[in-house]
Amino acid sequence: MEKIKGVIVSGALRPDDRLPRENELAAGLGLSRNSLREAVGALSLIRITNVRRGDGTYVTSLAPSLLLKAPSFVVDFQRDDTALEFLAVRRILEPAAPAARIGEERLDTLAAQLDKLGDDPSVEDCVACDLEFHRGIEESAGNPVLCALLDGLSGPTTRARIRRGLTRENAVSRTLHEHRASLAALRERDAEAPRSWATVHLASVERWLRSGR
């Protein structure tokens, strides 16, 4: 795996390039064909390579949104005590997204999502909208690495937010209030208020988890 990675990092193989034939690549890297197959298979799991049956093996696009799916897969298996650590990281990263770049069309889309949700949605619908709301703001930052990291960190926090909505009084209405306040601040091109609301929003879930409820 390290040898194949070295070829890609060196630029000898670039995104979307087809790998040489198996016997040629194995000989060039000083590997047995079995070892090469195992390495390519492992790299395909973490989306470095893509095996196309009947066509060959290719380097993927290596886009952050693709490569960071592997950590997000692992994140989904974490327990609620570990979710606190992920929430703490989200609370640091999410307010850093430069929300001032968000366009009017995206703001209209976010507003339409909130309007469609109504004032008394189910917990599941509220959390699903919450994910789309945050993703919409993150994507507008124009930083695919930040967006992919935050998207990957949402796994364990989603379960926590659903349980919080089911067990904590007014959790759904509070979430809607925070979203609408954040949207209003974005409309006014207030650079600091959306960051503050993002911090408050995540901190409230974190406090709930720490309380052991």
Side-chain angles (χ1 to χ4, degrees), residues 9-69:
V9 170
S10 72
L13 283 173
R14 302 181 63 80
D16 300 318
D17 279 354
R18 187 179 185 278
L19 270 64
R21 293 182 180 277
E22 186 179 87
N23 59 343
E24 295 174 8
L25 185 58
L29 297 176
L31 300 170
S32 70
R33 293 178 69 174
N34 284 338
S35 293
L36 178 64
R37 285 193 201 106
E38 290 181 11
V40 170
L43 288 170
S44 69
L45 290 175
I46 56 175
R47 296 172 170 83
I48 302 295
T49 60
N50 178 28
V51 180
R52 304 178 188 174
R53 296 195 180 280
D55 187 14
T57 300
Y58 288 77
V59 180
T60 67
S61 66
L62 303 179
S65 58
L66 183 68
L67 298 184
L68 291 172
K69 283 183 179 178

Side-chain angles (χ1 to χ4, degrees), residues 80 83-84 87 160 163 205-213:
D80 286 343
L84 275 168
L87 272 168
R163 198 166 66 259
V205 182
E206 191 176 342
R207 282 196 304 272
W208 176 81
L209 274 177
R210 289 191 187 281
S211 73
R213 294 181 61 187

Side-chain angles (χ1 to χ4, degrees), residues 155-171:
T157 64
T158 299
R159 293 191 298 275
R161 278 178 285 176
I162 289 176
R163 198 166 66 259
R164 171 177 173 258
L166 292 171
T167 60
R168 183 174 179 178
E169 187 178 0
N170 298 325

Side-chain angles (χ1 to χ4, degrees), residues 77-97:
F77 290 95
Q78 302 307 303
R79 300 173 310 223
D80 286 343
D81 54 349
T82 315
L84 275 168
E85 298 169 7
F86 288 112
L87 272 168
V89 175
R90 264 195 85 189
R91 188 157 47 83
I92 294 169
L93 291 178
E94 192 159 322

Side-chain angles (χ1 to χ4, degrees), residues 152-195:
L153 291 169
S154 295
T157 64
T158 299
R159 293 191 298 275
R161 278 178 285 176
I162 289 176
R163 198 166 66 259
R164 171 177 173 258
L166 292 171
T167 60
R168 183 174 179 178
E169 187 178 0
N170 298 325
V172 170
S173 60
R174 180 172 180 172
T175 296
L176 293 175
H177 168 70
E178 291 166 354
H179 282 180
R180 287 171 180 144
S182 180
L183 183 59
L186 289 168
R187 289 274 193 200
E188 294 170 3
R189 300 299 171 185
D190 186 328
E192 294 303 322
R195 295 175 184 172

